[in-house]
Amino acid sequence: MIQAPRGTFDVLPEDAARRGALEHHARRILERAGYRRIETPAFEATELFARGVGEATDIVQKEMYTFDDGGGRSLTLRPEGTAPVCRAYVQHGMHKLPQPVKLWYLSSFFRAEAPQRGRYRQFWQVGAEAIGSAEPEADAELIVLLAELLEALGVRELRLRLSSLGSPETRAAYRAELIDYLRAHERQLAPEVRARIELNPLRAFDSSDRSTREAMRSAPKLLDRLAADDAEHFARVRELLDDAGIAYDLDPTLVRGLDYYTRTLFEFESARLGAQSGVGGGGRYDRLIEQIGGPRTPACGWAAGVERMLLAAGELPLAEPVLDLYVATQTSASDAKRGGGQVRRAAFALALDARRAGLAAQLELAGRGLKGQLKQADRLRARYVAIVSEPGHALLREMESGEQRELELGQVIHEVLRAGHPA
Ligand code: AMP
């Protein structure tokens, strides 16, 4: 039997309801704040991600599904949404619109990662980007919107990690300073940290080795090295979050797998998730649009994993699908003589008319006997069943009470409508 590829999954109808509820909350929360939906293609020129996400990142080095389009151009299935949205912003001249341009998306992304719980090769993200604003209110508002979405979904045991990266120049100077510090304390460091001093000096902060932790306590912190305007921006973001009652942990060791961030950086984690604890995160990326060939434009945004949010979410109140009317048929001896055609045509027309009148209606399609049809209507939790047994008439049965009466076919829809929709 052919199976879906490793690291992918089917969204079955029973999963679709929770995902629908998530989409509903995302749309409500983001559109109320002026974000408008955007969808970009599933693949892009590889160069967009190489330039946008960064050549040196794990994503670009190891995780992209890249292929030749047959004409010598290299294409890549999108591994993330920010670079494509910025590409669309530049391509469609959105910098000429009143700024900021606020966009949101709900799309699938592709990364060749080792699959495990909460980590897939095709996964979905909800994302929001505010392009064209340098104000700290934009950063803070985005964080609050993601917090609201997680709250609405009942994602619990959350922690918000917050940091600021300053500018790439500050970061480069800080990196050199940290490397000098690590070299000077080399004897106190665990071998695996020592081996990666040049490659990834920041990882030293994440080490669980006691002696390394001791040494890192007095290591220089990037947050103490921010330029005055970056520090001021960060202080204002924190002030706004404090005013909004959003709790966060200042975490100068926070790193994310994308190169484009400047200034604010944040991530929500849920203790409900185990190893893959990141639910969603983002930050400011003031240089990205210039990097992909657009005008210099300040921007910030976030992306949150749909599957992770659903794994960490509580019960999502789901609206039960309502079925107002099930149209059953019972062929009489006289109709059977004529091949049952009249009754079935009348039933077909009744189901269509019911839908046109705004009712949820289904027609028997599996050739069941009357008993089987009633059972099916019951499984579907139909409110009414109309049993058509001769072209002009039906027996309308209210399923809950079992009450039934003979009606002219034309009366059936009126009767169901008159009874109203359940709350
Ligand atoms: P990132 O684009 O790496 O910042 O990821 C943002 C969010 O997307 C993460 O916090 C996860 O919730 C989700 N995510 C990232 N990679 C995967 C993956 N391979 N499978 C499922 N969800 C993912």
Side-chain angles (χ1 to χ4, degrees):
M1 191 195 30
I2 300 171
Q3 305 245 351
R6 224 163 77 79
T8 68
F9 53 86
D10 298 305
V11 177
L12 299 173
E14 54 267 35
D15 312 322
R18 292 185 87 219
R19 299 173 84 94
L22 185 149
E23 176 169 357
H24 165 80
H25 285 298
R27 171 173 293 116
R28 178 178 60 81
I29 289 168
L30 292 168
E31 297 200 343
R32 217 168 44 186
Y35 287 75
R36 294 171 67 211
R37 180 88 178 244
I38 184 167
E39 284 300 332
T40 60
F43 52 83
E44 295 271 357
T46 302
E47 193 192 352
L48 174 67
F49 302 112
R51 282 213 256 163
V53 178
E55 291 278 11
T57 58
D58 275 359
I59 291 183
V60 171
Q61 297 247 312
K62 305 191 284 213
E63 297 172 2
M64 298 206 304
Y65 288 102
T66 296
F67 55 96
D68 189 291
D69 73 346
R73 273 174 302 260
S74 177
L75 300 177
T76 291
L77 293 182
R78 58 186 171 192
E80 62 95 53
T82 303
V85 167
C86 289
R87 194 261 314 130
Y89 175 89
V90 176
Q91 182 177 333
H92 300 286
M94 290 190 231
H95 56 280
K96 293 186 210 118
L97 299 175
Q99 304 294 298
V101 174
K102 296 188 282 187
L103 302 167
W104 77 280
Y105 56 82
L106 170 56
S107 331
S108 64
F109 297 92
F110 307 84
R111 294 185 195 171
E113 295 194 89
Q116 63 182 90
R117 182 178 136 95
R119 193 160 80 190
Y120 312 99
R121 290 181 170 170
Q122 179 180 4
F123 57 96
W124 268 256
Q125 288 182 339
V126 177
E129 320 282 355
I131 307 177
S133 171
E135 304 300 326
E137 284 81 359
D139 311 46
E141 182 178 82
L142 275 161
I143 295 174
V144 172
L145 289 171
L146 180 50
E148 279 181 8
L149 175 60
L150 296 173
E151 162 84 34
L153 298 174
V155 178
R156 303 263 184 272
E157 297 175 62
L158 273 178
R159 176 164 92 105
L160 169 59
R161 298 165 70 198
L162 180 69
S163 187
S164 174
L165 292 177
S167 67
E169 294 75 26
T170 306
R171 228 147 61 219
Y174 167 73
R175 193 173 190 278
E177 185 189 354
L178 181 61
I179 289 175
D180 284 347
Y181 178 89
L182 293 173
R183 285 230 189 80
H185 294 76
E186 221 164 318
R187 279 185 303 130
Q188 281 169 266
L189 303 178
E192 67 274 12
V193 175
R194 218 179 303 149
R196 296 173 63 93
I197 290 183
E198 295 286 341
L199 213 61
N200 196 347
L202 273 174
R203 278 280 157 83
F205 285 106
D206 295 336
S207 172
S208 50
D209 172 67
R210 241 179 83 201
S211 164
T212 307
R213 295 188 78 86
E214 188 66 31
M216 294 316 286
R217 210 167 289 159
S218 36
K221 305 280 186 317
L222 177 57
L223 281 179
D224 300 325
R225 298 291 183 273
L226 296 184
D229 55 341
D230 292 336
E232 164 70 17
H233 181 95
F234 192 42
R236 297 215 12 228
V237 172
R238 291 193 326 254
E239 195 174 79
L240 293 165
L241 291 177
D242 293 338
D243 289 351
I246 304 277
Y248 53 85
D249 292 334
L250 270 193
D251 186 346
T253 68
L254 179 60
V255 277
R256 292 176 52 75
L258 306 118
D259 257 2
Y260 48 60
Y261 290 114
T262 50
R263 294 191 161 178
T264 314
L265 189 70
F266 64 93
E267 183 156 88
F268 282 90
E269 291 178 348
S270 169
R272 284 198 180 169
L273 283 175
Q276 300 300 316
S277 62
V279 179
R284 182 162 277 287
Y285 49 90
D286 291 344
R287 310 271 179 112
L288 173 60
I289 292 178
E290 195 177 21
Q291 234 159 282
I292 61 170
R296 188 157 195 171
T297 312
C300 50
W302 50 254
V306 167
E307 294 74 34
R308 300 242 186 117
M309 287 192 279
L310 290 176
L311 278 171
E315 287 291 308
L316 284 180
L318 298 177
E320 284 279 332
V322 175
L323 179 58
D324 299 304
L325 181 66
Y326 193 84
V327 181
T329 47
Q330 188 179 31
T331 7
S332 63
S334 59
D335 191 61
K337 244 185 250 157
R338 298 190 298 268
Q342 299 290 14
V343 165
R344 290 172 63 167
R345 279 173 68 186
F348 186 83
L350 176 60
L352 293 194
D353 286 345
R355 278 182 222 129
R356 286 187 189 127
L359 295 170
Q362 289 192 37
L363 178 69
E364 166 62 22
L365 292 175
R368 294 178 185 86
L370 185 60
K371 220 169 128 192
Q373 295 184 66
L374 289 174
K375 209 163 146 190
Q376 173 67 356
D378 201 42
R379 270 197 294 264
L380 294 170
R381 310 230 240 153
R383 294 168 50 223
Y384 287 89
V385 176
I387 304 164
V388 186
S389 53
E390 42 185 308
H393 292 272
L395 192 67
L396 185 66
R397 180 184 173 94
E398 194 195 351
M399 292 299 275
E400 198 176 299
S401 63
E403 267 172 42
Q404 51 188 39
R405 56 202 178 102
E406 189 72 38
L407 290 175
E408 285 193 17
L409 216 46
Q411 291 305 308
V412 168
I413 293 170
H414 287 301
E415 185 60 28
V416 176
L417 280 172
R418 201 181 55 79
H421 292 268

